[in-house]
Amino acid sequence: MVTVPEYGVPEYISLRYMDGIEITRYDSDTRRVVPVAQWMKKVDPKILEEQTETSRGLESTVKFYIKLEMIRLNHTEGYRCVQWMFGCELRDDGSTTGYAQLGYEGKDFLVLDPVQLKFIWLTDEAQSAAQTLNGPSLQVGERMQDYLETECINWLRKCIGYGKEALNKRVRPKVKVSDQTVNGVAKLHCQVYGFYPRDVDVKWQKNGIDVPSYEAKHILPNSDGTYQIRVTVEVLVEDREGHSCHVDHASLRHTLIVNLEPKSGSNTVGIVIGVLVVVIAVAAVGFIVWRKRSGKRQTLGFFYALNIACYMALQI
């Protein structure tokens, strides 16, 4: 494997999230799973040791896989990046679901079809890899789906128990509205920040009628575990009066409404948006578990099969 020690970036990084909160971290330098969320420090050390062994097995698999793809695609020089992301969800009604997808060089490569239990190739270059994984003697897709439905869900239930208090907290959002005028068009900004949980509905209205926003609405994390979002609409300057921002969130009993001041002269939003940038070089794995959403049968069955698949493909 090619490393980039001059940048201080581990060759392999594995992160686990729950409801958008990073709960554990593993990398090729420490080779141990360590708790990140405060409440995860209550986890039995034996469980963390089990997760460490699983992560080491996955690290070996991903490293082997990236070597395979470099040979297949004749990428024998430079830096290469594999991103392996999978997760499961436990819904309020008790039903479960999961997903798995793989990226190569920053592009979508393979995705698991949970119905056919096969990996679907998303580029022509990925076809050979998918056919190897889907081979009748390996059936890696079935093993992956089994992992998502058992071990992943069981692990998620444990995490819910450890972090129940933190995950059930409700933090009321703060709201700031402002506007700026550019070439006769008024941009109305509604900045909502400091809220938890993540789900929120923010929209602009005028006289009770929704005003559509054509900008993407991105919910971003804050360093303290809360979230923020900005929703912007464009209106004619002479039509800016009477607008209000409406916020619905689990922490609120009623919709929070903040009116745009009639003669606001603000040209700035007034809130600095913090952006967390995570650099993952060469080989990276994200394990994502969402709300009431993580298990143990055939713990390493999928990873073992994937290693076999990579080995067999190298012999082709």
Side-chain angles (χ1 to χ4, degrees):
M1 294 294 295
V2 179
T3 58
V4 282
E6 62 270 26
Y7 295 110
V9 178
E11 184 180 44
Y12 174 90
I13 300 175
S14 175
L15 310 175
R16 295 189 181 193
Y17 291 84
M18 184 173 181
D19 279 1
I21 300 173
E22 185 181 348
I23 59 174
T24 65
R25 176 184 293 261
Y26 171 95
D27 63 57
S28 54
D29 289 346
T30 64
R31 305 207 73 226
R32 300 203 64 81
V33 170
V34 295
V36 177
Q38 186 65 32
W39 45 270
M40 282 297 291
K41 296 179 180 179
K42 298 182 293 184
V43 174
D44 187 330
K46 292 182 179 180
I47 296 179
L48 291 178
E49 189 63 34
E50 291 175 359
Q51 294 300 317
T52 292
E53 291 303 315
T54 299
S55 296
R56 288 175 181 173
L58 185 54
E59 176 186 355
S60 176
T61 296
V62 173
K63 286 182 176 181
F64 196 49
Y65 178 84
I66 195 172
K67 288 181 180 179
L68 169 64
E69 291 309 309
M70 289 175 69
I71 293 173
R72 275 182 170 162
L73 303 175
N74 196 29
H75 293 168
T76 57
E77 298 179 356
Y79 303 124
R80 303 299 168 191
C81 178
V82 166
Q83 295 168 298
W84 183 237
M85 184 168 65
F86 53 95
C88 53
E89 176 181 345
L90 177 61
R91 298 179 177 135
D92 290 336
D93 61 4
S95 62
T96 64
T97 186
Y99 70 92
Q101 61 191 75
L102 187 144
Y104 181 74
E105 289 296 271
K107 298 180 180 179
D108 292 335
F109 205 66
L110 297 171
V111 63
L112 176 66
D113 185 326
V115 177
Q116 300 184 54
L117 301 181
K118 294 182 178 180
F119 281 94
I120 307 300
W121 61 86
L122 303 178
T123 67
D124 292 338
E125 293 178 330
Q127 181 174 353
S128 178
Q131 291 173 339
T132 300
L133 298 178
N134 296 333
S137 61
L138 295 175
Q139 300 178 333
V140 177
E142 293 187 18
R143 295 173 182 269
M144 183 75 239
Q145 189 65 29
D146 180 72
Y147 172 86
L148 295 175
E149 293 175 350
T150 56
E151 183 175 347
C152 185
I153 290 296
N154 290 339
W155 173 243
L156 176 56
R157 286 193 172 104
K158 291 178 181 178
C159 291
I160 291 174
Y162 288 120
K164 186 176 182 179
E165 181 178 346
L167 294 170
N168 288 335
K169 71 177 181 180
R170 297 289 184 267
V171 181
R172 182 184 176 92
K174 299 176 182 178
V175 182
K176 180 179 178 63
V177 297
S178 60
D179 72 303
Q180 56 185 153
T181 301
V182 180
N183 297 326
V185 175
K187 285 191 173 186
L188 312 183
H189 304 294
C190 181
Q191 180 75 32
V192 183
Y193 56 100
F195 58 89
Y196 185 89
R198 183 179 186 276
D199 293 342
V200 68
D201 182 51
V202 182
K203 61 185 177 183
W204 279 96
Q205 285 191 354
K206 180 174 183 178
N207 300 326
I209 300 176
D210 291 351
V211 180
S213 173
Y214 298 103
E215 291 189 11
K217 300 179 181 180
H218 297 298
I219 300 177
L220 302 174
N222 294 320
S223 59
D224 62 357
T226 62
Y227 296 91
Q228 61 176 294
I229 183 176
R230 187 179 77 170
V231 176
T232 299
V233 297
E234 293 186 0
V235 300
L236 296 176
V237 173
E238 57 271 23
D239 193 41
R240 63 177 298 284
E241 305 296 338
H243 284 82
S244 57
C245 179
H246 295 240
V247 180
D248 285 300
H249 186 256
S251 64
L252 303 171
R253 295 184 61 184
H254 305 287
T255 300
L256 178 59
I257 302 175
V258 179
N259 296 317
L260 183 69
E261 292 300 322
K263 295 182 179 181
S264 172
S266 173
N267 287 319
T268 61
V269 176
I271 301 297
V272 178
I273 301 177
V275 179
L276 175 64
V277 178
V278 180
V279 178
I280 302 177
V282 184
V285 176
F287 184 106
I288 313 297
V289 279
W290 304 99
R291 176 198 317 217
K292 286 186 179 180
R293 314 169 186 178
S294 192
K296 183 166 180 180
R297 193 174 66 203
Q298 298 177 354
T299 305
L300 293 178
F302 164 69
F303 306 123
Y304 178 70
L306 187 55
N307 267 320
I308 295 176
C310 291
Y311 176 77
M312 290 181 62
L314 276 176
Q315 311 306 312
I316 299 175

